[in-house]
């Protein structure tokens, strides 16, 4: 009987994964491939295709119904979001209106501009999330989340920037850019609003970071703990070094940070069931602690799915959880499919779920064949084997994370870090220690600042090590390749083609990555030599513009 129930539950999970994948694929197709006017036709065509299932039988019939109806729902969901959000924003674009709004987050202050996230309320303008912009002579008041304000502003639809399509704001559920024209009137203060408690808590953490960490490490620690990269952006050299070293992902609060917390709790709490309940409680607290940003919510949903399944005596399937979380996030805001953060997060997680276990198993099998079991040998040998196991785990996790995320990075950012694998292995332990100790430093700093500074100084040692490795890695020649050079872009495509070909043509059901890896390295070396010689033969040029 349990076997039958297990089989039925597995079938249900597969159906959920199929429906969620089809729904999400329709959302992406609606955004990237179809004009808004075609969405109803796409939804209708998908629904009509469901009638073809009437001529099928068994599992094929159910699968076709799931795929076609879920796709129809996805197209319809995107069309509904377009009518509710994008159309009202476009209708008021170009108008100057006086409206009432509620501040939803802390302002972001730059040298020449201040941006305030708000939600327009009342009947004077569409009730949509917006970004209120103060430029130059227009003075921005001291605003806090929950404040209700009255302001006159020039409105622009947030889906364009400098006359070109722009997706970033819509992906974060911002639909109007409002440019303030006069002084803002504060109608009421909302500093005690429970709704914006996560924002206040996250801002408190940022303030504590500035107090407990040294100027040399505060940018890294603030980004690592809160995901706020403003300080990193202001240090252009450090930001570029981290990009070349391939570790910018550590300052994007997401699945990695939640994984650190869950892993730490499982080390402390040996009973799995108790550890799962404690992990769920910590995740629910961590979400407001990190500001309840979309990336944090995505990671939290994913791990809550994974942790709750065994507690509720349900079969757990990581891929089903991943696809279900993606479908939920896209149902809440279909335009989130354009978020680079969302795409990178799910691509990296997909690689960790599918590629990492196979890589780790292969590495562990090779090492055990040479060195024996981890429990064999002297104490020093056992310590060396455990250290090697940690290296294997870091290497497998890094390879899994970059397999599917690398093409996305190359497409959006124009470069791929080649040294990132080595750097991540070297600093993985330090990132874990800095992340966990970092929150303790903030907690102690909130209670007694000298204690927070003391723990912050200890944490700074790990942060300093990370920064030292990053600076050395950034100086390594050809540590990153830039895809604005078409030759390197084609090389990346060729590498993926080589690995896919060897995987398809593998023998004895065993994939051996040595040969395709060697081919990738040899072809890269040849490409570098050819590029250097071509550059040496071509005459250089310099252009100057006299602007008076």
């Amino acid at each position: 009987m349990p076997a039958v129930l297990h089989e039925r539950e597995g079938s249900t999970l597969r159906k959920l994964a199929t429906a969620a994948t089809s729904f999400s694929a329709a959302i992406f197709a609606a955004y990237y491939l179809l004009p808004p006017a075609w969405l109803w036709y796409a939804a209708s065509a998908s629904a009509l295709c469901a009638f073809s299932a009437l001529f099928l039988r068994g599992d094929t019939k159910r699968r076709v119904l799931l795929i076609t109806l879920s796709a129809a729902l996805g197209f319809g969901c995107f069309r509904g979001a377009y009518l509710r959000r994008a159309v009202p924003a476009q209708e008021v674009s170009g108008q100057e209106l006086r409206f009432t709004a509620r501040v939803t987050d802390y302002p972001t202050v730059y040298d020449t501009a201040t941006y305030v996230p708000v939600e327009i309320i009342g009947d004077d303008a569409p009730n949509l999330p917006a970004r209120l912009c103060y430029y130059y002579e227009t003075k921005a008041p001291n605003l806090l989340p929950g404040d209700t304000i009255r302001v006159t502003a020039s409105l622009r639809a947030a889906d364009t920037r400098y006359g070109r399509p722009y997706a970033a704001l819509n992906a974060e559920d911002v639909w109007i850019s409002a440019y303030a024209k006069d002084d803002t009137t504060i109608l009421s203060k909302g500093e005690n609003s429970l709704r914006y408690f996560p924002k206040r808590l996250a801002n408190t953490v940022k303030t504590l970071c500035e107090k407990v960490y040294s100027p040399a490490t505060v940018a890294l620690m603030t980004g690592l703990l809160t995901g706020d990269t403003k300080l990193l952006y202001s240090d252009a050299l450090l930001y570029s070094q981290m990009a070349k070293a391939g570790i910018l992902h550590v300052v994007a609060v997401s699945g990695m940070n939640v994984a650190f917390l869950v892993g730490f709790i499982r080390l402390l709490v040996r009973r799995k069931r108790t550890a799962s309940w404690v992990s769920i409680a910590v995740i629910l607290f961590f979400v407001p602690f990190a500001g309840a940003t979309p990336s944090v919510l995505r990671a939290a949903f994913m791990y809550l799915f994974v942790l709750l399944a065994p507690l509720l005596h349900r079969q757990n399937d990581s891929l089903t959880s991943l696809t279900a979380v993606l479908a939920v996030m896209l149902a809440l805001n279909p335009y989130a499919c354009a978020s680079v953060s969302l795409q990178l997060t799910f691509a990296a997680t997909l690689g960790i779920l599918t590629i990492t276990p196979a890589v780790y198993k292969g590495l562990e099998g090779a090492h055990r064949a040479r060195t024996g079991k981890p429990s064999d040998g002297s104490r020093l040998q056992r310590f060396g084997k455990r250290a090697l196991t940690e290296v294997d785990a870091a290497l497998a996790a890094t390879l899994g994370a970059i397999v599917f995320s690398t093409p996305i990075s190359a497409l959006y950012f124009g470069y791929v870090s080649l040294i990132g694998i080595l750097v991540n292995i070297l600093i993985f332990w330090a990132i874990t220690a800095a992340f966990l100790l970092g929150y303790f430093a903030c907690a102690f700093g909130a209670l007694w600042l000298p204690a927070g500074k003391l723990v912050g100084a200890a944490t700074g040692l790990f942060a300093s090590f990370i920064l030292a490795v990053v600076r050395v890695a950034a100086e390594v020649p050809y540590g990153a390749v830039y895809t604005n050079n078409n030759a390197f872009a084609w090389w990346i495509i060729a590498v993926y083609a080589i690995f896919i070909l060897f995987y398809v043509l593998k023998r004895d059901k065993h994939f051996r990555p040595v040969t395709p890896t060697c081919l990738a390295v040899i072809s890269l070396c040849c490409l570098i030599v050819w590029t250097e010689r071509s550059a040496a033969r071509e005459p250089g040029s310099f252009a100057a513009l006299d602007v008076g």
Side-chain angles (χ1 to χ4, degrees), residues 290-482:
T293 59
S295 59
V296 175
L297 291 172
R298 286 192 291 267
F301 281 152
M302 174 64 191
Y303 276 90
L304 288 176
F305 265 79
V306 173
L307 292 169
L308 280 172
L311 293 176
L312 299 177
H313 304 288
R314 292 291 184 269
Q315 184 182 355
N316 177 50
D317 181 76
S318 298
L319 286 177
T320 300
S321 300
L322 181 66
T323 55
V325 170
L326 178 60
V328 169
M329 298 302 294
L330 294 181
L332 294 175
N333 177 20
Y335 283 81
C337 67
S339 169
V340 180
S341 172
L342 180 143
Q343 294 178 20
L344 287 173
T345 297
F346 280 91
T349 306
L350 178 63
I352 290 173
L353 294 177
T354 57
I355 305 298
T356 294
V359 174
Y360 180 74
K361 183 178 179 180
L363 292 173
E364 278 292 277
H367 289 151
R368 287 195 180 189
R370 291 196 300 266
T371 62
K373 297 180 180 179
S375 58
D376 296 339
S378 64
R379 180 177 298 180
L380 181 61
Q381 289 175 328
R382 291 197 300 271
F383 175 79
K385 291 177 182 178
R386 285 196 297 269
L388 189 60
T389 299
E390 295 298 323
V391 172
D392 289 342
L395 178 59
T398 303
L399 287 173
I402 67 173
V403 165
F404 299 119
S405 61
T406 294
I408 299 174
S409 298
L411 176 64
Y412 285 108
F413 305 125
Y415 70 90
V416 173
S417 176
L418 299 179
I419 202 172
I421 297 176
L422 177 60
V423 173
N424 278 274
I425 293 173
L426 291 175
I427 68 173
F428 187 80
W429 64 274
I431 292 174
T432 306
F435 177 75
L436 296 174
L437 285 176
Y439 283 119
F440 282 112
C442 292
F444 283 119
L447 298 174
W448 190 40
L449 187 57
K453 288 185 176 181
L454 182 62
V455 180
T459 309
L461 297 176
F462 298 102
S464 298
F465 171 78
I466 296 170
L467 294 174
V469 173
V470 166
R471 293 189 180 99
V472 172
E475 297 299 323
V476 175
Y478 305 107
V481 296
Y482 297 87

Side-chain angles (χ1 to χ4, degrees), residues 46 76 217 231 354 384 475 481 521:
S46 299
T217 60
L231 292 177
T354 57
E475 297 299 323
V481 296
V521 173

Side-chain angles (χ1 to χ4, degrees), residues 468-513:
V469 173
V470 166
R471 293 189 180 99
V472 172
E475 297 299 323
V476 175
Y478 305 107
V481 296
Y482 297 87
T483 54
N484 54 356
N485 183 331
N486 290 333
F488 284 104
W490 282 110
W491 173 78
I492 293 174
I493 296 173
V495 167
Y496 274 83
I498 290 171
F499 273 87
I500 292 172
L501 182 64
F502 272 80
Y503 181 81
V504 172
L505 300 178
K506 64 181 182 295
R507 297 179 179 179
D508 302 327
K509 297 183 179 180
H510 293 292
F511 174 61
R512 297 175 176 83

